[in-house]
Amino acid sequence: MRDVIRATPLYKFLRLCNSSPLEKTVLDCGAGGNDPPLRLFVEWGYETVGIEISNQALDKVEKFCRERDMKLTMFKGDVRKLPFRDETFSFVFSYNTLPLMSKRDVEDTIEQIERVTKPEGLCFLNFVSVDDEGPADSYYEDGEPDYYFTGFDILHKEKRIILIGKEEKQAYIDYIAKKKLVTS
Amino acid sequence: MRDVIRATPLYKFLRLCNSSPLEKTVLDCGAGGNDPPLRLFVEWGYETVGIEISNQALDKVEKFCRERDMKLTMFKGDVRKLPFRDETFSFVFSYNTLPLMSKRDVEDTIEQIERVTKPEGLCFLNFVSVDDEGPADSYYEDGEPDYYFTGFDILHKEKRIILIGKEEKQAYIDYIAKKKLVTS
């Protein structure tokens, strides 16, 4: 068994995905980096796809896979224009990527995520809270991202404030939501 | 592989335990219930021991183990008087148990936890925040539990506020700390 992924809030999402009757297909929007969370879903038997715009982040995930002799399907692309047909994936997540985008781009991205998610599929998305003291491109009040989830039922909403002493305070708001069967 | 445990904040603790050079022994203080978190540590190759005072919670863990044909070592006992020698365990955690105790009992319990933890061993403990709106026996301001950790270096401190709509707001403060090599 491989090590626990760094993006530990995704374990709660995985738990909900595991209990869904939908087929095990998952998309990560902003999937690159040193410790790609998709590997957890591979270990749990999911068919996975990642999309990532940064060459540097793609290089890192390639190095990660090479060193561990594993394969992850990665596309270079823009999460604001997902190159997939409607309702392709049962599960879609984006971890620590939306905070690097303007609110306008976040809105476009979540529209795309909603589009490619199957009805009754699940999404995990996180945002940076206004309580965060570090750099980010968009900050949200506690309930503010609700606005993006009109096509979903929100299953879980959690604010995480990292309080460790000397560093800048970090504060995130995590959402787990289920796409409505019929959107009005 | 068995399902993701409900107590998902413990994945961050497991990640740190996995990267420690100490032997893989772990104690859960308040270990009973429907979904015993110790099973995760068993899956990862740890030698585990649980202590639990409630017969009902012990019955639940027994049922859980019987249904899955697995074995967990559980003692009936009081976490305020841990029946173990000094420095027995590399890793000790208590998840959602301290909130059911008075602050006086919490203090006694953490003294015991410190005693049975090996030097440079790790602990995970969580508390209920004053921002919580549900029932608990002790509530803490953000930095207040620091008081208990003078024999430790605090590695991680995170406040988690569950914001889901209609229910009472829940708010926890999680600590992960490393016992000092020499306590003064």
Side-chain angles (χ1 to χ4, degrees), chain B residues 62-118:
Chain B
E62 201 180 294
K63 180 165 179 281
F64 179 94
C65 287
R66 204 169 48 236
E67 286 171 0
R68 284 155 190 83
D69 196 23
M70 75 181 289
K71 195 172 154 16
L72 286 174
T73 305
M74 290 279 154
F75 289 104
K76 180 173 166 69
D78 185 339
V79 295
R80 294 168 302 182
K81 297 174 212 135
L82 292 175
F84 306 107
R85 299 184 66 176
D86 294 359
E87 305 182 359
T88 299
F89 299 97
S90 302
F91 312 112
V92 182
F93 68 89
S94 184
Y95 183 81
N96 284 3
T97 294
L98 301 178
L100 308 174
M101 300 167 69
S102 69
K103 287 190 179 180
R104 176 61 189 272
D105 286 343
V106 169
E107 183 164 1
D108 289 348
T109 300
I110 298 178
E111 276 177 21
Q112 288 286 301
I113 287 174
E114 181 178 344
R115 182 181 66 74
V116 303
T117 303
K118 289 185 195 293

Side-chain angles (χ1 to χ4, degrees), chain A residues 39-52:
Chain A
R39 70 173 172 90
L40 175 68
F41 290 83
V42 171
E43 287 163 22
W44 282 81
Y46 286 74
E47 200 176 310
T48 72
V49 176
I51 184 161
E52 172 63 58

Side-chain angles (χ1 to χ4, degrees), chain A residues 2 44 157 159 161 163, chain B residues 2 44 157 159 161 163:
Chain A
R2 292 188 172 88
W44 282 81
K157 184 172 18 166
K159 184 172 179 179
I161 308 169
L163 296 167
Chain B
R2 292 188 171 87
W44 281 82
K157 184 173 15 167
K159 184 173 180 179
I161 307 169
L163 296 167

Side-chain angles (χ1 to χ4, degrees), chain A residues 28-82:
Chain A
D28 181 358
C29 297
N34 284 325
D35 184 21
L38 276 181
R39 70 173 172 90
L40 175 68
F41 290 83
V42 171
E43 287 163 22
W44 282 81
Y46 286 74
E47 200 176 310
T48 72
V49 176
I51 184 161
E52 172 63 58
I53 202 166
S54 148
N55 283 326
Q56 199 182 16
L58 285 166
D59 288 347
K60 283 179 182 165
V61 76
E62 200 179 295
K63 180 164 179 282
F64 179 94
C65 288
R66 204 169 48 237
E67 286 171 359
R68 284 158 191 81
D69 196 22
M70 74 180 290
K71 192 171 156 17
L72 286 175
T73 306
M74 290 279 153
F75 290 104
K76 180 172 165 70
D78 185 339
V79 296
R80 293 168 303 181
K81 299 173 210 135
L82 291 175

